[in-house]
Amino acid sequence: MKAAKKIAIRVSNLSSSVLLYGETGTGKELFAQSIHNASSRNTRPFIAINCAAIPETLLESTLFGTEKGAYTGAVTTPGLIEECQDGTLFLDEINSMPINLQVKLLRVLQELQFRRVGGNTAKKMQCRIISACNVEPHKCIQEGTLRQDLYYRLSVIQINIPPLREHIEDLPLLVENAISNLSGLYGIYPNVTGDALQLLKAYSWPGNIRELNHIIESVMVLLMDDGEEITPSDLPEMFRQHLGSRGDAACIDLKGSLSNTEKENIIQTLKQNNWNVSKTASVLGYSRSNLQYRMKKFGIQRSQRMNY
């Protein structure tokens, strides 16, 4: 991550094309936005477009614009390249762009000129192109989803963004950042227990940082009070099931041992407080309802009827 950041800072004030490669959810658009923000173009537009999200019939006019009469109902409209004058255009999932349009984009990058669809006047291209792939670029070339000549033009500078599992030591900071970003929305700022962090670190994170942010938001939605901590039992059930379904004995043992530790801690504290749920919740830092939820989850009950 430090190496990727160092390259991004170094190339921010250049006009060279940059290709970002990283799995889904690694933060490619964040890198692109950061390069733009650190450049002399930062007062001009930054426009991002996902090439997989726009139908092929619309993508060309979206990029290059249209002239009135180009097709039935067409009106004169500037494209993103034109709107992004002196700014940065981010083309995400460039490998999803149709091959025939890749040819046209290559020509534009070579000549630094473009024409609106149906137009005869060449316009000067003055925006910087940053593109991204969520599949290894050479694999895209082999599979025929990315032209090799376009790849060379786009990847004057290539930055590889590692998946979360390859810099898992950053996870506590990323969790803290997610909580900080969401605290204003949900009105709480919970701590995360070491046991919960251990479980989070044991996961492979196929969705990377985006998936981590969604997990943390899911947990915060269900927490009751600001004083509560995020513990292993607060993590979404599907997350814990997936962690166990990997067949990784160490992860399964870890999950089981953490749950047992929490259960025993609750039982011991209940005994110390004569099974008074309100006092026990206060000692453990839980809300009363959250402790009752955990007691039900772990099957904790006193043999005789209790006065809560």
Side-chain angles (χ1 to χ4, degrees):
M1 288 298 289
K2 288 180 179 178
K5 180 181 176 182
K6 183 177 180 179
I7 297 172
I9 292 172
R10 183 176 180 84
V11 304
S12 61
N13 273 314
L14 304 178
S15 296
S16 304
S17 297
V18 177
L19 176 66
L20 304 171
Y21 162 60
E23 296 177 5
T24 181
T26 51
K28 297 184 290 296
E29 185 170 344
L30 181 62
F31 259 83
Q33 179 77 67
S34 298
I35 291 171
H36 172 79
N37 291 346
S39 74
S40 58
R41 301 172 182 267
N42 57 18
T43 59
R44 304 299 298 162
F46 172 87
I47 300 177
I49 178 175
N50 189 310
C51 298
I54 300 177
E56 178 178 352
T57 52
L58 295 177
L59 188 55
E60 182 176 3
S61 59
T62 299
L63 287 174
F64 304 128
T66 57
E67 288 288 352
K68 184 177 181 179
Y71 51 83
T72 303
V75 296
T76 300
T77 308
L80 296 183
I81 290 178
E82 198 169 342
E83 290 182 354
C84 207
Q85 187 87 337
D86 296 323
T88 303
L89 179 61
F90 176 53
L91 302 175
D92 197 8
E93 296 193 44
I94 189 71
N95 50 304
S96 296
M97 179 181 286
I99 293 297
N100 66 320
L101 191 51
Q102 290 187 28
V103 175
K104 295 179 181 179
L105 178 61
L106 175 63
R107 187 173 182 85
V108 168
L109 293 173
Q110 289 174 335
E111 299 179 357
L112 296 179
Q113 290 183 334
F114 67 96
R115 288 181 174 84
R116 292 176 178 172
V117 176
N120 297 316
T121 305
K123 296 178 177 291
K124 188 175 181 180
M125 175 182 170
Q126 293 182 301
C127 68
R128 182 184 194 176
I129 298 291
I130 299 178
S131 56
C133 284
N134 58 7
V135 178
E136 204 283 319
H138 289 288
K139 184 177 180 181
C140 293
I141 293 171
Q142 292 172 357
E143 294 176 347
T145 58
L146 179 64
R147 286 180 60 98
Q148 189 171 33
D149 46 7
L150 179 61
Y151 165 71
Y152 292 140
R153 178 65 64 173
L154 292 173
S155 63
V156 175
I157 305 295
Q158 180 170 322
I159 301 176
N160 297 330
I161 305 173
L164 178 54
R165 62 183 175 275
E166 291 183 6
H167 61 108
I168 201 67
E169 66 276 8
D170 291 336
L171 186 137
L173 288 174
L174 293 168
V175 169
E176 180 67 23
N177 183 67
I179 291 173
S180 178
N181 290 338
L182 294 166
S183 61
L185 181 62
Y186 296 112
I188 58 175
Y189 205 116
N191 292 319
V192 184
T193 66
D195 292 346
L197 282 175
Q198 282 184 274
L199 275 186
L200 292 171
K201 286 182 177 181
Y203 185 50
S204 60
W205 297 107
N208 293 290
I209 298 170
R210 182 186 292 120
E211 184 182 9
L212 174 63
N213 289 338
H214 289 169
I215 291 282
I216 297 302
E217 182 169 11
S218 174
V219 171
M220 290 182 67
V221 166
L222 297 175
L223 287 178
M224 302 290 185
D225 302 312
D226 187 31
E228 289 191 66
E229 291 183 320
I230 296 176
T231 68
S233 61
D234 293 314
L235 299 175
E237 185 67 25
M238 289 187 65
F239 168 81
R240 287 180 282 128
Q241 287 178 354
H242 183 79
L243 189 64
S245 68
R246 291 168 50 201
D248 187 332
C251 290
I252 296 172
D253 290 345
L254 174 62
K255 184 175 70 171
S257 64
L258 294 178
S259 295
N260 288 335
T261 299
E262 184 178 18
K263 179 179 178 180
E264 288 302 318
N265 188 35
I266 291 173
I267 291 173
Q268 289 301 319
T269 309
L270 280 165
K271 288 179 178 179
Q272 291 169 6
N273 289 278
N274 198 27
W275 289 83
N276 184 300
V277 174
S278 295
K279 288 183 179 180
T280 301
S282 178
V283 171
L284 293 174
Y286 297 150
S287 67
R288 178 186 170 87
S289 58
N290 197 280
L291 177 57
Q292 288 175 322
Y293 163 78
R294 284 171 164 79
M295 290 173 66
K296 183 178 180 180
K297 176 182 175 62
F298 293 130
I300 300 173
Q301 56 184 342
R302 198 175 181 182
S303 56
Q304 65 267 33
R305 185 175 179 176
M306 294 172 288
N307 180 14
Y308 283 6

